[in-house]
Amino acid sequence: MHYPIAIRSYGYSINKRRFVQPWAALEENWTMFILEEGSFRYNLDGQVGDLSPGEVLLGPPGLVLAREVLTPMNIHYLVFHPSRPEGEALLERITSGGRCRFHVGDKARLLSSLRLIKPSSDRQEERALAVATHYLHDLLLLIMHEISEELDLPPAVPDARMLAARKWLEANAFGEAQLMGLARSLGISQVALTRHFKAAFGTVPKEYLTALRLEKAKSLLTDTDFTMEHIAALCGYDNGYYFSRIFEKTVKLRPSVYRRMYRL
């Protein structure tokens, strides 16, 4: 498949504590940073902010980017350029109005794409770059989809409680995430939490929680030799049996089969 963008390089760093260069000129290529964990402060052509997990920073060519690590990061960085006019049009629309920072609401899909692109990190052979190009294009379409949804929404005051609920779920997904306690802390019933969360994000809290947990489980299955009991505990489940049931019901594969099929 021919994509309207061409990737030059892709890398993934774990527990990165500093940038080798505190600033960099984004010469003829576009640059994308995506955080899984940690945070860093940036100044891109006068736009200053702190990038957090689940957020994307997209820098057009010709600008200078200053950056400083705030907390140790797991970070993806991609360098690419449009290879066809439709690629230029897509990037121009995404960054219209000078926008460079994007929060991806569909975190489960974001994590899935990032998990699948990781094996291409720091590899220059044609097949690895083709895989990285595919998932970079998917990420750009995901950002464009979310921007389009924003533009189609009627003006409204954001529901701060549902934003807080999503943030709480992401922070507590791998521990004892009790939805009843979350609802109580927001001053609403669990039924109301489910209804309002569904209206805000298109899924219910329990499904969102499961999606976050299973994406982490997939990474642990393919990247480690941990037992099912250990993976279950790391993903917030009481035991390996229950974890395996949930995984098979949702993914349609037993965890052991998934590990054999997708092991790096």
Side-chain angles (χ1 to χ4, degrees), residues 2-4 82-91:
H2 297 289
Y3 293 97
S83 56
R84 300 211 304 259
E86 52 266 44
E88 293 182 8
L90 174 63
L91 291 166

Side-chain angles (χ1 to χ4, degrees), residues 5 26 56 58 76 90 131 138 146 154 180 185 192 197 209 223 226 231 248:
I5 47 137
L26 309 182
V56 177
L58 185 59
H76 302 257
L90 174 63
V131 171
D138 184 68
E146 298 212 0
M180 184 178 296
S185 71
F197 196 93
L209 187 65
D223 298 345
F226 294 163
I231 291 175
E248 184 173 1

Side-chain angles (χ1 to χ4, degrees), residues 10-19 31-42 51-57 65 67-78 114 117-118 121-122:
Y10 159 66
Y12 174 64
S13 293
I14 299 175
N15 199 33
K16 188 176 181 68
R17 296 176 178 272
R18 68 183 182 90
F19 288 104
T31 304
M32 177 185 286
F33 298 89
I34 311 173
L35 274 181
E36 283 188 9
E37 296 182 19
S39 60
F40 76 89
R41 181 161 295 149
Y42 65 87
L51 204 70
S52 301
E55 293 187 325
V56 177
L57 182 68
L65 171 66
R67 60 270 180 99
E68 175 190 4
V69 175
L70 299 176
T71 56
M73 308 176 300
N74 289 359
I75 186 171
H76 302 257
Y77 39 95
L78 303 101
L114 295 180
I117 198 176
K118 280 179 189 176
S121 176
D122 296 324

Side-chain angles (χ1 to χ4, degrees), residues 168-214:
W168 186 93
L169 287 170
E170 292 171 358
N172 294 277
F174 311 119
E176 295 185 7
Q178 299 293 331
L179 297 182
M180 184 178 296
L182 171 59
R184 189 181 301 116
S185 71
L186 296 171
I188 57 178
S189 69
Q190 192 169 342
V191 172
L193 169 63
T194 298
R195 184 173 67 252
H196 292 309
F197 196 93
K198 172 76 171 179
F201 305 117
T203 187
V204 299
K206 185 176 181 180
E207 291 173 351
Y208 190 73
L209 187 65
T210 297
L212 293 173
R213 288 175 167 179
L214 293 188

Side-chain angles (χ1 to χ4, degrees), residues 25-31 44 58-64 80-82 91:
L26 309 182
E27 299 172 349
E28 73 275 13
N29 296 307
W30 289 74
T31 304
L44 180 62
L58 185 59
L63 302 183
V64 173
F80 62 97
H81 64 90
L91 291 166

